[in-house]
Amino acid sequence: MKIVDGQVIVCSPGRNFVTLKLSTEDGLYGLGDATLNGRELAVASYLKEHVVPLLIGRDARRIEDTWQYLYKGAYWRRGPVTMAAISAVDTALWDVNGKALDTPVYQLLGGASRESVMVYGHANGRTIDDTVKAASRFLEQGYQAVRAQCAVPGLDATYGVGHAGAHYDPTDKGRPTESQWSTERYLDFVPGLFEKMRAELGPVPHLLHDVHHRLTPIEAARLGKSLEPYHLFWMEDAVPAELQEGFRTIRQHTTTPLAVGEVFNSIWDCHLLIEEQLIDYIRCSVVHAGGISHLRKIAALGEVHHVRTGCHGATDLSPVCLAAALHFDLAVHNFGIQEYIPHTEETDRVFPHRYRFEAGALHPGDAPGLGVDVDEALAARHPYARAYLPVSRKLDGTVHSW
Ligand code: CS2
Ligand code: MG
């Protein structure tokens, strides 16, 4: 089953996406998400200029060999651009092999380990009451898990809080906006949010929170301790995780479960966190961490060390990535939860898919392959528009993690 063509489709139905389409001599094709939010064209170029020429003529059934060929053969290993490109190739190969075998990918991954994939919604608000109301709406829709993010009083913007009613997309066309950050105000405020959430919603719903890389380990330890009475499902990205050892400090001080990994792009970014059981959930995604093949290896390491999966699933990861994640989630044993933010209707028209939401969970469907497609004519009507994620600064002007 030789690869005869590789197309890189860049489009922007509301936000930018990069999609790899690999076609085989059998007239089949597979899709892979290659979107790296804010640096999309770097991956598109890496694929077009350096990867696709190497794929032509290769046997599409040799998924693992192709992964190793692109990883070791590049010499310059790892990094978000390289690994997003490898992820896209890997995902497209799983897709086209599923189609060739007339089988949904989850069946190729060992079959279903559960009936469906529990997901979490995203409640946010400009006040605690608004956030609690938003969370209630998710629970009424059948969600069992909700992330809560609330505007911190005195700050001009807070991560995860969109404009009232607008579909949350933090990117800015043109140049990055700059938003304020105050650790003190944030740490003083967040425990009150979850005290109210628990008082209003009761003990059952899974509550999650994304710190978004903003704290030091000892600050994260303080926050984790302060949240213990509200037994969160997880506290995510408490600190930037380049220093994996930093999580030892957090772990020593709090029983609040820890999640990290959406910015990781290989097992080498997280093996110490997993081997030392410094985290409870690994957030690596299909599109950023080497595709389905590499994500399985990360999950396997996690299984040995009581770490469950919690794949990243924001709307800058395309429906192609979400479809692939759901096949992985359905099959992997140590599944934890899947992030889910519905894409815009236009995005869903560009990327028709078979996954379906029901009662707080998603199922990838049983179409051969991943069960997702791309309408290239419609995609062409949504040209790329350069956009950037915001930049964060402390109140004194010092650049901080956004
Ligand atoms: C966030 C992401 O969903 C999350 O957990 O961390 O929305 C993140 O801000 C974006 O994916 C960045 O592109
Ligand atoms: Mg996050």
Side-chain angles (χ1 to χ4, degrees):
M1 190 163 74
K2 291 197 181 312
I3 298 168
V4 295
D5 185 45
Q7 293 297 318
V8 177
I9 302 162
V10 181
C11 65
S12 190
R15 65 183 316 168
N16 294 315
F17 296 111
V18 180
T19 307
L20 175 66
K21 177 177 181 180
L22 293 182
S23 303
T24 68
E25 60 188 337
D26 319 61
L28 298 172
Y29 62 86
L31 298 179
D33 185 12
T35 307
L36 185 62
N37 196 2
R39 297 298 184 270
E40 299 87 356
L41 298 188
V43 185
S45 172
Y46 190 104
L47 283 166
K48 278 187 285 194
E49 303 302 330
H50 304 296
V51 171
V52 168
L54 298 178
L55 297 177
I56 306 306
R58 284 188 63 88
D59 184 343
R61 293 169 299 182
R62 299 184 65 178
I63 300 174
E64 181 67 20
D65 181 64
T66 300
W67 196 99
Q68 299 294 345
Y69 181 78
L70 295 178
Y71 180 79
K72 294 182 166 68
Y75 187 77
W76 312 105
R77 300 181 183 190
R78 301 163 66 190
V81 174
T82 296
M83 296 312 289
I86 292 175
S87 301
V89 173
D90 184 80
T91 306
L93 293 181
W94 279 104
D95 188 20
V96 76
N97 276 278
K99 288 177 179 176
L101 296 168
D102 194 26
T103 302
V105 167
Y106 74 83
Q107 296 288 18
L108 304 180
L109 300 175
S113 297
R114 55 197 55 79
E115 299 314 310
S116 59
V117 171
M118 180 172 73
V119 298
Y120 66 91
H122 288 55
N124 67 81
R126 311 212 63 77
T127 67
I128 289 179
D129 285 344
D130 288 352
T131 308
V132 172
K133 289 187 188 110
S136 300
R137 288 194 291 272
F138 279 98
L139 301 177
E140 287 156 13
Q141 293 174 52
Y143 283 83
Q144 303 164 61
V146 184
R147 187 187 84 169
Q149 308 290 139
C150 183
V152 174
L155 297 185
D156 58 6
T158 303
Y159 163 71
V161 180
H163 306 297
H167 187 82
Y168 180 58
D169 173 358
T171 54
D172 301 287
K173 304 288 189 281
R175 295 181 67 85
T177 56
E178 299 198 353
S179 57
Q180 295 173 321
W181 175 252
S182 164
T183 295
E184 296 73 17
R185 295 180 189 183
Y186 171 78
L187 290 176
D188 289 342
F189 177 74
V190 170
L193 167 64
F194 286 95
E195 180 184 24
K196 183 78 171 187
M197 295 280 286
R198 276 295 175 221
E200 296 294 323
L201 304 176
V204 172
H206 296 309
L207 300 181
L208 301 85
H209 183 65
D210 192 346
V211 183
H212 220 260
H213 323 280
R214 305 287 173 99
L215 303 179
T216 64
I218 201 64
E219 292 165 347
R222 170 185 158 189
L223 180 60
K225 280 180 75 71
S226 70
L227 294 175
E228 284 177 8
Y230 317 116
H231 55 84
L232 266 61
F233 185 88
W234 80 33
M235 179 171 77
E236 172 188 345
D237 280 345
V239 302
E242 292 99 326
L243 182 70
Q244 297 182 52
E245 297 85 343
F247 274 74
R248 291 174 183 151
T249 300
I250 312 172
R251 210 50 159 182
Q252 284 162 5
H253 291 280
T254 181
T255 59
T256 292
L258 303 174
V260 73
E262 69 181 54
V263 299
F264 294 168
N265 53 74
S266 87
I267 199 165
W268 303 108
D269 292 331
C270 56
H271 75 94
L272 185 137
L273 288 164
I274 292 172
E275 289 158 0
E276 292 192 15
Q277 301 176 48
L278 299 179
I279 57 173
D280 303 280
Y281 297 91
I282 185 65
R283 294 260 297 142
C284 299
S285 70
V286 168
V287 61
H288 296 136
I292 292 171
S293 298
H294 197 61
L295 198 56
R296 292 176 87 194
K297 297 177 180 180
I298 293 172
L301 182 65
E303 182 179 348
V304 172
H305 297 88
H306 303 297
V307 176
R308 285 169 282 179
T309 66
C311 289
H312 182 208
T315 50
D316 48 289
L317 287 60
S318 87
V320 176
C321 178
L322 181 55
L326 293 172
H327 284 272
F328 165 80
D329 293 336
L330 197 68
V332 70
H333 171 66
N334 53 318
F335 167 74
I337 199 166
Q338 169 66 48
E339 178 173 10
Y340 175 50
I341 311 177
H343 291 94
T344 63
E345 286 179 13
E346 190 58 12
T347 298
D348 286 346
R349 279 191 284 272
V350 172
F351 296 100
H353 51 266
R354 304 293 285 273
Y355 55 81
R356 288 289 173 269
F357 176 84
E358 186 179 349
L362 282 169
H363 190 286
D366 285 289
L370 296 176
V372 64
D373 205 344
V374 59
D375 180 330
E376 294 182 59
L378 191 54
R381 286 161 48 185
H382 299 283
Y384 175 79
R386 183 177 292 110
Y388 292 94
L389 286 166
V391 170
S392 175
R393 288 185 185 270
K394 294 181 180 177
L395 299 181
D396 70 357
T398 307
V399 171
H400 195 60
S401 301
W402 175 71

